[in-house]
Amino acid sequence: MSANADLRLIAGMGPQLFTAPSVAGLPDDLQATLNTLVNTWQARYPGNARRQAYLDCKVFVESLNIALPREIARDLRIVSTWPEKAVFSLTSRCHWDGVVAPDGSEDPYGLSSILEENRFATEIGQAIASAATHGVAFLATLPGDVSAGDPPVLVLPYSAMTAAALWDRRRRGISAGLLINDVDYLGRPTELILLTPQVMVSMAPLGSQGWFVTGHVEHHLNRTPMEALVYRGNLDRPLGRSRLTDGVLSIVDRAVRASMRMDLSSELFTAPGLLLRGVDEATFDKIKHSWSWQLGSVKGLSRDEDGDIPEVDTIPQQSMQPYVDQLRELAQELAGALSLPVGSLGIVQDNPSSADAIYAAREELVTEASDFNDANSYALNRVYRNIIMLRDGWLPEDAARISTHWRNPARPSIVSQSDAMIKQIQAIPEIGKTDVALEELGYTRQQIMRMRAQIEQSRGRDNLDAILRGARGEAGTA
């Protein structure tokens, strides 16, 4: 890549490139699968590391060495936050809001408690951001060690930096997966987990004696307990593609170079330039090394030895406007590529946009977020079923009807959302008695549950008061 970036710096405390270990006790067919998975992870690592570096603002773009020397460019250390905006402007609209069942039950099959113990509401957002960055992220469901404080089932998110998978087109799922579960301080893997449709195998090195199988569990799911969250997958790339495409990163590089040139120009042309004629050498040396002259705070020259007055011309300061215009043009190009409002990239328009114009600018982004949610709902629904199977050992027939609820990615204002829902309720009054109406009014699943519980409590108190009043009335009559 055209950048100064150390892969170790990029990955932080993550894994470094490694070759597939020969694991004692691992059957030949699983060893072959492990080798393939490690090779797949190796092939994707440079591209994934590059995109992670851009997201973390750790890439220092090389100068073209034409208008700006590379040594000066390295000293400037200018980076861009546009890649971060590219990823999180989308994923911030992908908000998981719980599990729902067609019968309206608030906690279908007791999933809420397990998901809560796994911090799922927090980590699913991180997994979605990772999927947008690398094209794919993974959710693995593993049996938990309850005696050690684990929930009955572990739901663990992994980025493409710490996991790899093989895709089965016929079954439309993952045929085998690799999890890099732990690394040492040098980034060398110290625990690997191999997942197949039949077994989960954990492996670890034992000092200098090599790698050994440390665990072997048959899960009876008949599918790999690992699901892919995919951004913009298609038939040729079922495991998705990054939002930070080469085209997007090329625009970011050009913007950084424009910023470099602007910074250098501002340094060179901030002080006024002076063109002196008829000045003797001794006087010129004093002026050349004097900040007072460069800043224009001292204005005066004596006559030379012939009695002539030196001539002084001021060189006008170079305008920053060409650089600003170039950055504006690059921001508009990036906004078009990412379906972003150009204002979100820090470009202020001369004329403020109307509310309708702002909504139109965000409409493509909202549509993309909605498509992203729809694509990942299938994988999440399979995760819920994996949890039930690993916990209970069997799967109820109607468990396939469990689905994911997402918040509205458009995030309309409370006033407009309420107004639209009230009009629908007036047309179809029965809607007002459903949880769907409350969801469309902007309430979260937790708020709806609290509201329902408090309404039931209030009804119970009212019924009790009515019974007591009736009892007192009968007693007075008697």
Side-chain angles (χ1 to χ4, degrees):
M1 57 186 171
S2 60
N4 298 323
D6 179 10
L7 292 185
R8 181 59 186 159
L9 180 63
I10 293 169
M13 295 306 295
Q16 292 298 285
L17 281 171
F18 67 99
T19 58
S22 179
V23 183
L26 190 66
D28 292 342
D29 58 335
L30 293 182
Q31 180 68 60
T33 302
L34 175 64
N35 296 344
T36 303
L37 284 165
V38 172
N39 291 338
T40 300
W41 180 84
Q42 288 177 336
R44 300 292 187 270
Y45 182 84
N48 290 333
R50 175 174 177 246
R51 286 167 174 79
Q52 189 64 47
Y54 272 96
L55 184 70
D56 295 338
C57 297
K58 295 185 183 297
V59 172
F60 305 108
V61 179
E62 290 279 10
S63 168
L64 299 178
N65 207 28
I66 299 175
L68 182 65
R70 286 177 179 164
E71 295 78 9
I72 295 179
R74 280 192 285 267
D75 291 340
L76 289 175
R77 300 178 69 82
I78 293 178
V79 296
S80 173
T81 59
W82 283 359
E84 184 179 13
K85 179 64 71 172
V87 170
F88 292 106
S89 61
L90 172 67
T91 60
S92 64
R93 294 181 176 273
C94 302
H95 196 107
W96 180 84
D97 198 29
V99 184
V100 295
D103 61 2
S105 59
E106 296 176 348
D107 185 11
Y109 300 103
L111 287 171
S112 295
S113 60
I114 292 182
L115 295 175
E116 177 67 23
E117 289 184 80
N118 280 280
R119 299 183 62 203
F120 191 79
T122 299
E123 294 189 345
I124 185 60
Q126 299 170 8
I128 289 173
S130 182
T133 303
H134 302 125
V136 65
F138 303 99
L139 289 174
T141 45
L142 309 175
D145 185 355
V146 178
S147 62
D150 292 342
V153 180
L154 291 173
V155 183
L156 301 174
Y158 290 85
S159 74
M161 296 287 289
T162 56
L166 303 179
W167 186 257
D168 186 340
R169 291 184 180 273
R170 181 175 180 178
R171 301 185 67 177
R172 297 175 179 85
I174 294 173
S175 61
L178 173 68
L179 308 177
I180 304 174
N181 216 36
D182 199 6
V183 297
D184 63 13
Y185 70 98
L186 292 176
R188 297 173 300 193
T190 58
E191 183 182 4
L192 301 177
I193 298 179
L194 177 64
L195 303 175
T196 73
Q198 293 78 33
V199 298
M200 294 177 281
V201 182
S202 57
M203 299 156 279
L206 183 59
S208 59
Q209 302 180 39
W211 284 72
F212 292 84
V213 172
T214 58
H216 185 285
V217 178
E218 295 185 3
H219 51 70
H220 305 292
L221 291 177
N222 200 31
R223 64 172 180 243
T224 306
M226 180 178 179
E227 298 297 331
L229 303 177
V230 174
Y231 175 71
R232 281 191 177 181
N234 57 32
L235 294 177
D236 296 320
R237 304 185 69 170
L239 291 181
R241 65 185 65 211
S242 172
R243 187 163 167 82
L244 302 178
T245 63
D246 289 341
V248 168
L249 297 182
S250 174
I251 298 172
V252 172
D253 287 351
R254 289 158 57 198
V256 170
R257 292 190 184 104
S259 299
M260 288 178 182
R261 291 190 289 271
M262 183 165 61
D263 267 25
L264 182 62
S265 297
S266 65
E267 289 290 336
L268 294 177
F269 296 98
T270 297
L274 298 177
L275 179 62
L276 306 179
R277 295 188 295 272
V279 180
D280 61 84
E281 186 174 349
T283 303
F284 181 76
D285 286 340
K286 292 180 181 179
I287 293 174
K288 183 170 64 174
H289 296 95
S290 170
W291 268 107
S292 297
W293 264 100
Q294 292 184 43
L295 296 176
S297 59
V298 177
K299 301 177 177 65
L301 288 172
S302 60
R303 295 176 181 271
D304 62 13
E305 57 186 11
D306 298 327
D308 296 327
I309 300 176
E311 298 180 10
V312 181
D313 291 327
T314 302
I315 301 175
Q317 182 179 359
Q318 182 173 339
S319 173
M320 296 293 105
Q321 192 60 43
Y323 305 111
V324 174
D325 291 341
Q326 185 181 12
L327 285 174
R328 184 186 297 272
E329 184 273 331
L330 291 171
Q332 292 172 342
E333 187 176 346
L334 186 68
L338 295 172
S339 303
L340 292 176
V342 68
S344 66
L345 298 174
I347 301 300
V348 179
Q349 301 290 348
D350 296 332
N351 298 318
S353 301
S354 64
D356 291 339
I358 293 174
Y359 179 81
R362 292 178 177 173
E363 187 174 5
E364 286 187 28
L365 184 64
V366 170
T367 301
E368 190 159 353
S370 180
D371 292 343
F372 196 13
N373 291 341
D374 291 342
N376 289 325
S377 291
Y378 177 75
L380 290 175
N381 297 344
R382 285 168 62 97
V383 168
Y384 308 145
R385 296 197 288 272
N386 289 346
I387 293 173
I388 297 172
M389 276 286 291
L390 290 174
R391 182 193 63 188
D392 302 336
W394 65 287
L395 188 67
E397 291 183 2
D398 59 347
R401 303 173 65 192
I402 299 173
S403 60
T404 300
H405 180 258
W406 302 91
R407 290 190 192 175
N408 187 351
R411 294 192 174 180
S413 67
I414 295 177
V415 174
S416 62
Q417 195 170 8
S418 301
D419 182 60
M421 197 62 215
I422 289 172
K423 291 179 179 178
Q424 294 181 50
I425 293 174
Q426 290 173 346
I428 310 175
E430 290 78 7
I431 294 178
K433 301 176 182 180
T434 67
D435 286 351
V436 175
L438 297 176
E439 291 170 359
E440 292 300 318
L441 288 172
Y443 295 105
T444 65
R445 293 299 304 172
Q446 291 77 10
Q447 290 174 324
I448 293 173
M449 292 169 63
R450 289 169 54 200
M451 290 168 62
R452 292 292 188 194
Q454 292 176 14
I455 289 173
E456 290 299 324
Q457 291 175 4
S458 177
R459 286 176 179 171
R461 286 193 296 267
D462 292 343
N463 292 336
L464 179 61
D465 290 343
I467 293 172
L468 293 176
R469 285 195 299 270
R472 285 195 295 267
E474 293 176 0
T477 303

